Amino acid sequence: MQDLSWLTARPIAHRGFHNKEAGILENTPSAVKAAVENNFAIEVDLQQTKDGQVIVFHDPNLERLTHGEGKVIDFDLADLRNLSMRGSTDPMWTLQELLDLVDGKVPLVIEIKTLNLAEGQDEFIKTIANILSDYKGPAAIKSFDPKMLRTMKDVAPQIPRGCISMTTLSENDHLHLTEHEIEKISWMVHMAGTDPHFVSFFVKDLPADGPSFLREFYGLPVMTWTVRTKEDRLNAAKHADQIVFEGFNPDEDPL
């Protein structure tokens, strides 16, 4: 069994240690540098470009964070590099550039965003696996999409992988899901076959049967997101092993 003690050693800065008012946007080199300088682990997000490249970006669409319009998947990497960020001088950048910047100084937890395709974006996952396989620092991936996790397990079982889940569902979800299906989501049965190394669970849904069971009986660490308030922090302290935080400095603002 892998030693994943590094995964819970230091709090994880959500999308980097960002501060929009200071011109440090989420998932940018500036946010990552700030996290490294404060010795925080870092969570970032990956999206697929039209030409199959791996870009560090959260949203499927460009409007909120850039001066571009449309979906990330509709643009080649070269086109995305020409876009400017809103309120920041940082460029759009790639997974490899992220790894070069962090260079093993702090742990990375990398969320792979899904396009909800039936095939699970296999080639995209293989590209990510190839890049991460050469990285010497501590890094893990996680995803909501079990298809992505199964592919990562097949092509790079040595890369730690985590399943993301939650039980807070929209009213629309409740209209279209049976109580049994909702229970399956809570217990994360939809992740069967992925053999995750850890769980990433929504803080406001804790405690929950699924992560509690995996933590108690299989020893899987539970990280929880996104911790922003004192109430979140107290709940996380009771039911999780790690926090993904935003909007405060947990070293300077202890409970």
Side-chain angles (χ1 to χ4, degrees), residues 52-148:
Q53 300 301 307
V54 187
I55 197 163
V56 183
F57 200 75
H58 177 271
D59 296 0
N61 299 308
L62 295 166
E63 287 82 354
R64 181 175 70 92
L65 294 167
T66 80
H67 291 284
E69 296 181 354
K71 296 180 179 180
V72 174
I73 190 62
D74 291 336
F75 292 85
D76 289 340
L77 175 60
D79 297 323
L80 293 170
R81 287 194 186 278
N82 289 328
L83 296 178
S84 58
M85 305 289 288
R86 293 184 182 274
S88 170
T89 59
D90 280 306
M92 301 280 274
W93 62 326
T94 65
L95 171 60
Q96 185 60 61
E97 290 166 334
L98 166 72
L99 299 181
D100 291 343
L101 177 60
V102 176
D103 194 27
K105 298 180 182 72
V106 297
L108 283 168
V109 178
I110 300 167
E111 179 174 346
I112 307 175
K113 292 298 186 180
T114 179
L115 297 175
N116 292 314
L117 300 179
E119 67 273 17
Q121 296 171 264
D122 285 358
E123 292 306 314
F124 182 52
I125 297 300
K126 291 176 184 177
T127 299
I128 294 170
N130 286 336
I131 295 170
L132 287 176
S133 292
D134 292 329
Y135 184 61
K136 304 305 180 186
I141 66 96
K142 63 178 183 176
S143 179
F144 275 102
D145 190 338
K147 298 185 296 297
M148 288 185 160

Side-chain angles (χ1 to χ4, degrees), residues 215 233-240:
R215 187 188 192 203
R233 297 173 73 185
L234 290 171
N235 196 36
K238 292 178 183 177
H239 304 293

